């Protein structure tokens, strides 16, 4: 079968699945992307380019939609060129978030299209205005509604949708939810696992090991969507109550979601000015190579993961797989995975005091939480491991296409180019 994956930043959510399908010699797997990096094993990479960006005169509600149209146009043209060159996809799996999937069914009418339905924006009940006491005004609501234009057009056009979690499906329009199946991307629990002998070396030469009061926090970028400000506000209390604690913060200084500070600084700079903490005990690593990130999870005594109601991060699922004591935010995407007191601890996203209290509780209870660590890992191994997710994804694609797509064994590590992110 000819299979095409489309994601501007290859491999995105499709790395394991694309490599798995490529192991079947009867499958020809191509990845169409803007990214200039190696494709998953056995997969051929093709790149596309947009002709321009949204115009300065475009109404600000629809600049995002114009960019989506430009991406969709470029992908459609690439698909037509592929078909003329001899590669006519039978199946296309695409992320619609940047508009890439908009015109695939028009360019390839005989191909089955699966849209990766990661999120659908709402002015109420999800990320927008979370924690604010007043409802968003009409300007915000109108902008958010328009932001969904490319997503809803793709959802109407696709044959089926695929979504990683139940909550993420639930934010899509109710009348379309029966078109979307829930199958998580898959965590490589053979690689992401506890290691009592793990050690993580800080830039100052200090070596952190399991059993020490190490607090960890990971995000692709340090920003409010992932609770970075409230975590920093919790740090002084954590350090005061646990005098030998070390805090390690992983993440870049850009913004993946939401807005930048109004004055143009980074959120790290803003929070370092606002909050006074012991610089010798709080360590910012930037982004880490994946192997180093895993070592950090393996030495963590309390891993803090916070998010507004939004897309769930891989890093939280990997922390569970590594047997971390996860202090998660009491928000819907996290509550789907963590049961307070069983496989993790939950704190109020909006309360630095509660975040600090739960983190200190995790540090002080230490060895008494071994059962919680085992339950955390069991959550992943039992339902979200690649050995479960990959067969479920392949079976889903079989149902969509009516054809067998099986690849090799349900395994495979994260590509070497991946850094610790989400």
């Amino acid at each position: 079968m000819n299979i095409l994956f489309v994601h501007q930043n290859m491999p995105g959510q499709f790395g394991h699945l694309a490599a798995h399908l490529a192991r079947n010699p009867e499958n020809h797997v191509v990845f169409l992307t803007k990214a200039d990096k190696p494709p998953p094993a056995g997969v051929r990479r093709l790149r596309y380019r947009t002709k321009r960006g949204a115009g300065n005169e475009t109404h600000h509600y629809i600049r995002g939609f114009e960019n989506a149209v430009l991406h969709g146009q470029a992908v459609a043209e690439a698909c037509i060129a592929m078909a003329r060159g001899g590669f006519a996809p039978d199946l296309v799996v695409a992320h619609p978030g940047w508009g890439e999937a908009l015109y695939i069914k028009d360019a390839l009418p005989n191909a089955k299209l699966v849209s990766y339905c990661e999120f659908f924006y709402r002015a109420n009940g999800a990320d927008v205005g979370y924690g604010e006491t007043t409802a968003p005004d009409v300007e915000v609501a109108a902008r958010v509604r328009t932001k969904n234009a490319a997503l809803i057009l793709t959802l109407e056009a696709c044959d089926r949708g695929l979504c990683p979690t139940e909550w993420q499906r639930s934010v899509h329009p109710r009348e379309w939810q029966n078109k979307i199946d829930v199958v998580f991307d898959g965590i490589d629990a053979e690689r992401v696992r506890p290691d009592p002998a793990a050690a993580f070396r800080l830039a100052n030469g200090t070596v952190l090991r399991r059993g020490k009061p190490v607090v960890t926090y990971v995000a692709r970028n340090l920003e409010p969507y992932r609770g970075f400000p409230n975590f920093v506000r919790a740090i002084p209390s954590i350090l005061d109550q646990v005098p030998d604690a070390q805090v390690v913060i992983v993440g870049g200084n850009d913004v993946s979601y939401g807005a930048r500070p109004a004055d143009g600084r980074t959120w790290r700079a803003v929070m370092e000015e606002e909050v006074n903490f012991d610089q010798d005990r709080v360590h910012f690593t930037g982004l880490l190579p994946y192997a180093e990130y895993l070592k950090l999870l393996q030495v963590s005594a309390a891993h803090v993961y916070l998010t507004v109601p939004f897309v769930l991060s891989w890093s939280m699922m990997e922390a569970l797989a590594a047997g971390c004591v996860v202090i998660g935010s009491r928000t819907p995407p996290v509550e789907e995975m963590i049961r307070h007191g069983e496989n993790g601890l939950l704190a109020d996203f909006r309360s630095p005091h509660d975040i600090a209290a739960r983190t200190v509780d995790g540090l002080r209870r230490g060895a008494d939480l071994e059962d919680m660590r085992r339950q955390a890992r069991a959550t992943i191994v039992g339902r979200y491991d690649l050995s479960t997710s990959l067969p479920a994804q392949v079976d889903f694609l079989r149902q969509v296409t009516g054809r067998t797509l099986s690849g090799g064994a349900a395994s495979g590590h994260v590509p070497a180019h991946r850094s610790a992110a989400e």
Side-chain angles (χ1 to χ4, degrees):
M1 183 182 294
N2 289 342
I3 304 168
L4 175 66
F5 287 90
V6 184
H7 193 300
Q8 68 156 7
N9 188 29
M10 177 194 70
Q13 293 84 358
F14 308 139
H16 292 301
L17 179 60
H20 176 75
L21 295 175
R23 284 195 284 272
N24 182 346
E26 295 182 2
N27 292 334
H28 302 280
V29 184
V30 172
F31 218 121
L32 182 61
T33 184
K34 292 174 75 175
D36 183 17
K37 54 188 175 184
V43 177
R44 183 162 63 103
R45 185 198 69 182
L46 295 175
R47 297 175 68 194
Y48 76 90
R49 288 287 179 269
T50 51
K51 296 176 180 177
R52 62 177 179 84
N56 292 331
E57 299 303 315
T58 300
H59 191 287
H60 66 280
Y61 286 3
I62 58 173
R63 282 179 193 144
F65 184 57
E66 184 176 6
N67 269 319
V69 168
L70 291 164
H71 279 75
Q73 179 185 35
V75 167
E77 291 172 352
C79 287
I80 292 169
M82 275 188 285
R84 288 175 177 167
F87 181 80
D90 303 296
L91 169 66
V92 183
V93 182
H95 195 303
W98 301 274
E100 293 170 306
L102 267 173
Y103 310 120
I104 287 174
K105 288 294 283 188
D106 303 293
L108 302 170
N110 296 321
K112 295 292 186 180
L113 173 62
V114 170
S115 178
Y116 186 85
C117 300
E118 186 174 35
F119 199 65
F120 195 88
Y121 296 91
R122 292 185 175 273
N124 292 285
D127 59 318
V128 176
Y130 179 73
E132 297 178 7
T133 57
T134 58
D137 60 24
V138 174
E139 170 79 11
V140 173
R143 178 178 54 79
V144 172
R145 184 177 296 279
T146 309
K147 189 177 179 70
N148 286 319
L151 300 179
I152 199 70
L153 285 172
T154 303
L155 186 53
E156 185 277 330
C158 74
D159 292 278
R160 295 291 296 177
L162 187 64
C163 188
T165 72
E166 294 287 350
W167 182 78
Q168 285 168 250
R169 177 169 68 172
S170 77
V171 298
H172 288 78
R174 185 170 300 175
E175 57 268 32
W176 292 100
Q177 288 178 24
N178 63 358
K179 196 176 185 178
I180 303 170
D181 284 46
V182 176
V183 184
F184 189 71
D185 310 322
I187 298 298
D188 185 355
E190 280 300 304
R191 184 176 189 187
V192 186
R193 59 186 308 121
D195 181 3
F200 180 83
R201 184 180 296 275
L202 296 169
N204 65 8
T206 301
V207 177
L208 305 177
R209 301 185 186 277
R210 175 78 177 269
K212 299 298 182 182
V214 178
V215 179
T216 54
Y217 172 96
V218 174
R220 182 182 307 162
N221 282 298
L222 308 178
E223 57 196 345
Y225 259 59
R226 298 311 191 190
F228 175 68
N230 284 341
F231 174 64
V232 174
R233 292 173 184 131
I235 287 175
S237 179
I238 295 169
L239 297 182
D240 286 347
Q241 294 182 70
V242 186
D244 56 342
Q246 299 282 333
V247 177
V248 184
I249 299 173
V250 179
N253 288 317
D254 206 341
V255 171
S256 299
Y257 312 113
R260 299 176 184 276
D263 60 8
R265 291 184 296 167
T266 67
W267 285 108
R268 174 181 171 181
V270 169
M271 296 315 301
E272 285 182 319
E273 180 176 306
E274 176 187 325
V275 180
N276 184 32
F277 53 78
D278 187 345
Q279 302 273 346
D280 292 330
R281 296 169 62 197
V282 179
H283 312 276
F284 291 87
T285 69
L287 293 174
L288 291 174
Y290 192 72
E292 291 302 302
Y293 154 73
L294 289 186
K295 290 178 185 177
L296 181 62
L297 292 182
Q298 289 163 341
V299 304
S300 176
H303 179 79
V304 179
Y305 174 76
L306 309 171
T307 184
V308 299
F310 191 59
V311 172
L312 187 70
S313 304
W314 287 328
S315 65
M316 194 204 80
M317 302 295 275
E318 289 176 326
L320 292 173
C324 290
V325 174
V326 177
I327 291 85
S329 55
R330 199 179 290 277
T331 48
V334 180
E335 290 176 298
E336 184 174 333
M337 304 300 167
I338 292 181
R339 301 175 302 279
H340 180 69
E342 296 181 29
N343 63 344
L345 301 172
L346 294 173
D348 185 344
F349 174 92
R350 294 161 288 198
S351 171
H353 173 79
D354 198 34
I355 295 165
R358 296 298 185 192
T359 304
V360 170
D361 181 41
L363 294 175
R364 286 177 172 170
R365 290 166 67 187
D368 294 338
L369 296 180
E370 284 305 309
D371 184 62
M372 183 178 289
R373 290 177 177 272
R374 285 190 291 270
Q375 289 296 323
R377 179 165 173 78
T379 298
I380 301 302
V381 173
R383 187 174 177 184
Y384 301 104
D385 179 42
L386 284 176
S387 63
T388 299
S389 293
L390 269 178
Q393 289 174 338
V394 171
D395 186 60
F396 165 75
L397 296 179
R398 179 191 60 77
Q399 294 175 43
V400 172
T401 61
R403 298 172 61 178
T404 300
L405 302 93
S406 294
S411 64
H413 296 321
V414 174
H417 58 261
R418 181 181 165 193
S419 297
E422 293 197 284

